[in-house]
Amino acid sequence: MARLKAFQGVVQQNADIADSVVVYIEEAHPSDGWVSTDAPYQIPKHRCLEDRLNAAQLMHLEVPGCPVVVDSMENSSNAAYGAYFDRLYILQEGKIVYQGGRGPEGYRITELRDWLDQYRETLGKSNNLVINV
């Protein structure tokens, strides 16, 4: 859950330049499967979309202010983005401009923060001037 708190901080700090969303995919450590001893919740493997939606409600409580959407039961988002267990992305104009490593080892919130900081700097250096006549 520490990662979620760090993610929430980045979301809040950059709300003026970036929209954020959490995509809840299949449960990495279901209580009836590969159980994690430090899991804060006991969530069984999703058998239907309703199970996944209910589990996603817990995720929404952990990242208030950030929309949470749910992957299909076919795991199409997970397959398309290679997100299992967790992964950070930045998309700009429909293109991936930042792809973090696969979590948990490759999940580096500092890289995401650095990318957004650099992007903020480029926005500040923009020489675009609009004159209304």
Side-chain angles (χ1 to χ4, degrees), residues 30-125:
S31 58
D32 56 349
W34 182 25
V35 179
S36 172
T37 57
D38 63 348
Y41 303 107
Q42 297 299 311
I43 300 171
K45 181 177 171 109
H46 308 141
R47 308 261 184 247
C48 61
L49 188 58
E50 185 176 352
D51 290 348
R52 191 165 286 180
L53 289 166
N54 289 333
Q57 289 299 317
L58 296 172
M59 179 69 68
H60 185 68
L61 294 173
E62 297 296 329
V63 245
C66 184
V68 176
V69 297
V70 177
D71 198 1
S72 68
M73 290 305 292
E74 293 78 29
N75 300 310
S76 55
S77 295
N78 188 1
Y81 288 93
Y84 197 74
F85 301 109
D86 49 19
R87 200 166 203 177
L88 298 166
Y89 280 92
I90 296 175
L91 284 79
Q92 194 172 47
E93 297 179 16
K95 295 183 181 168
I96 296 170
V97 294
Y98 169 82
Q99 176 181 331
R102 290 183 185 200
E105 296 85 11
Y107 187 98
R108 301 211 187 356
I109 198 76
T110 54
E111 288 181 3
L112 181 74
R113 185 179 294 116
D114 291 347
W115 194 98
L116 288 165
D117 287 346
Q118 289 175 358
Y119 178 68
R120 183 180 297 281
E121 282 183 32
T122 64
L123 291 176
K125 292 178 183 176

